[in-house]
Amino acid sequence: MPPDPSSALTFCRDVLPAVSRTFALNIPVLPPPLDTAVTVAYLLCRVADTLEDEAHGPTSEVLLAEFARLCTLPEGWEADALRFTEQAARVLRAQAPEAEVRLVEGVPQVLRALATHPVPVREHVAVCVRTMSEGMGRMGAKGRALAGGLGLASLEETIEYCYYVAGTVGEMLTRLFQWYSPEVARRAARLEPRSVAFGNALQLTNILKDVREDLERGSCWLPRTLLAEHGLTPETLLEPAHRGEAMKAHSRLLAVAHRELRVAFDYVMQLPREEHGIRLFCLWPLFLAVMTLRKLNGNAAVLEKKPVKVSRRTVKWVLGATKLLVAQDRALKLLFSALTAPLPA
């Protein structure tokens, strides 16, 4: 008897909240069948991210390439997916989060869920995962062990890294939105040039928030050239004696994230007002990123051990305010302008 596709979709819905609180919040506001398509797409992208973060040694690049191939659902993919999960389980770090391990072990289930979707959805997802995996394999090695030490060489490389990790997701989501909504498809010329910034903005925010955690794991996605202008290297960034210069460098990168967020907000404003679910899906992480940058701005605690996070009260406020204003462009623009005013330009 062939596997039940409904059990695969159930696995996807069950594992989603464990690997992403944000997407567990905003995917359910999407209309069906877009919600299921985005759930499966996000989980496959998250598998690639886990392989890049948690697999050790050069094996991660081999696994990423094989995973990208599996996402095209080639002949015999089910048997190959089982072998893939066995290989991946052997090279994940012992400290890898339990939820991430569960997701990697569930790759056959997620691929089975992907197979239930129409051809356009499968193609958009496969293109995204392939581009993401190829870029991660190349950029990940740079961020961990360059001849000159940790860190990416320049701001351009940091932005390139953000593209492979998240900008590709912005492109894929835009294509999935177009697949679902003819009105979104009619706006493709306005949406597609801004779609990369939507993903980049969220990834840059995460990089700025997780500076210390990434360094402690042996990775750095900050540009060495910018750090050097402040007399810093990734290896000395966390030293208390350099805290003042470290915060100046952090502020300059925060300004770059702010710039990308402004383009991302313009992206959301191009979405049809009647598509409330798609708008909310984008508005929630975007405004949460704004609130995160506000909390990080000038806050030296970002370089300490305790993570800097927005409060649950702030999350609740963002969700409520954007629900109320979802179709009111002028009010949303005023809110965005007011919240981003304190951020470095």
Side-chain angles (χ1 to χ4, degrees):
M1 177 182 290
D4 180 9
S6 64
S7 66
L9 291 171
T10 298
F11 171 82
C12 292
R13 294 190 186 99
D14 287 348
V15 78
L16 178 64
V19 295
S20 175
R21 287 179 296 176
T22 300
F23 278 88
L25 279 174
N26 68 344
I27 286 178
V29 303
L30 289 170
L34 185 58
D35 58 344
T36 303
V38 173
T39 296
V40 173
Y42 171 77
L43 290 176
L44 291 172
C45 291
R46 190 57 184 258
V47 170
D49 192 50
T50 298
L51 293 175
E52 196 245 343
D53 282 347
E54 305 296 344
H56 50 78
T59 313
S60 62
E61 290 186 49
V62 176
L63 286 171
L64 281 167
E66 173 61 6
F67 178 62
R69 187 187 73 85
L70 288 172
C71 287
T72 65
L73 300 178
E75 185 176 352
W77 68 264
E78 291 196 338
D80 290 346
L82 290 172
R83 284 192 290 273
F84 165 83
T85 57
E86 292 171 1
Q87 293 168 353
R90 288 197 293 268
V91 299
L92 291 181
R93 293 186 316 137
Q95 302 88 348
E98 183 180 341
E100 306 284 351
V101 175
R102 181 186 173 205
L103 175 59
V104 171
E105 291 174 344
V107 161
Q109 292 271 60
V110 186
L111 290 174
R112 197 168 295 125
L114 176 65
T116 67
H117 288 81
V119 170
V121 171
R122 302 202 301 264
E123 289 177 345
H124 295 327
V125 173
V127 167
C128 176
V129 174
R130 183 180 68 243
T131 306
M132 176 183 285
S133 298
E134 289 172 355
M136 281 180 170
R138 185 168 69 256
M139 301 300 292
K142 289 185 176 184
R144 291 193 181 90
L146 281 171
L150 293 174
L152 297 174
S154 63
L155 179 59
E156 289 73 22
E157 281 201 347
T158 295
I159 296 296
E160 184 182 3
Y161 171 75
C162 289
Y163 167 71
Y164 287 123
V165 175
T168 51
V169 178
E171 291 177 326
M172 176 188 66
L173 287 171
T174 304
R175 291 167 187 147
L176 291 176
F177 296 162
Q178 292 178 59
W179 161 74
Y180 167 79
S181 167
E183 184 56 37
V184 173
R186 281 190 282 271
R187 302 179 182 214
R190 285 175 277 169
L191 289 164
E192 289 181 357
R194 298 169 171 87
S195 63
V196 170
F198 181 77
N200 283 358
L202 303 183
Q203 185 61 28
L204 277 168
T205 301
N206 285 337
I207 287 173
L208 290 166
K209 176 175 64 71
D210 298 334
V211 169
R212 185 178 190 106
E213 181 182 344
D214 286 340
L215 284 167
E216 289 176 345
R217 289 164 56 148
S219 300
C220 182
W221 312 114
L222 306 179
R224 287 185 291 130
T225 49
L226 186 147
L227 294 178
E229 290 175 23
H230 294 272
L232 301 166
T233 66
E235 291 81 5
T236 63
L237 182 63
L238 300 181
E239 293 177 3
H242 298 142
R243 194 56 39 93
E245 290 302 311
M247 290 311 299
K248 289 178 185 177
H250 192 268
S251 179
R252 288 176 63 186
L253 289 168
L254 198 144
V256 177
H258 179 194
R259 178 194 71 193
E260 295 294 294
L261 272 175
R262 298 187 79 82
V263 182
F265 180 73
D266 192 27
Y267 170 89
V268 179
M269 291 297 94
Q270 304 302 322
L271 292 167
R273 281 184 288 185
E274 60 270 22
E275 291 289 1
H276 287 191
I278 295 176
R279 273 200 163 198
L280 285 175
F281 172 86
C282 296
L283 283 169
W284 286 357
L286 190 149
F287 272 94
L288 287 174
V290 170
M291 302 308 288
T292 299
L293 291 185
R294 283 170 59 96
K295 191 150 191 174
L296 295 176
N297 189 23
N299 185 359
V302 70
L303 302 177
E304 303 295 341
K305 283 193 174 293
K306 187 176 180 181
V308 175
K309 297 180 180 179
V310 296
S311 66
R312 291 184 179 180
R313 182 178 179 181
T314 298
V315 173
K316 188 175 180 180
W317 177 82
V318 165
L319 269 56
T322 48
K323 273 185 179 179
L324 186 65
L325 304 176
V326 63
Q328 301 179 43
D329 286 7
R330 186 169 181 274
L332 283 170
K333 289 175 182 177
L334 288 171
L335 180 62
F336 182 81
S337 179
L339 291 176
T340 55
L343 301 179

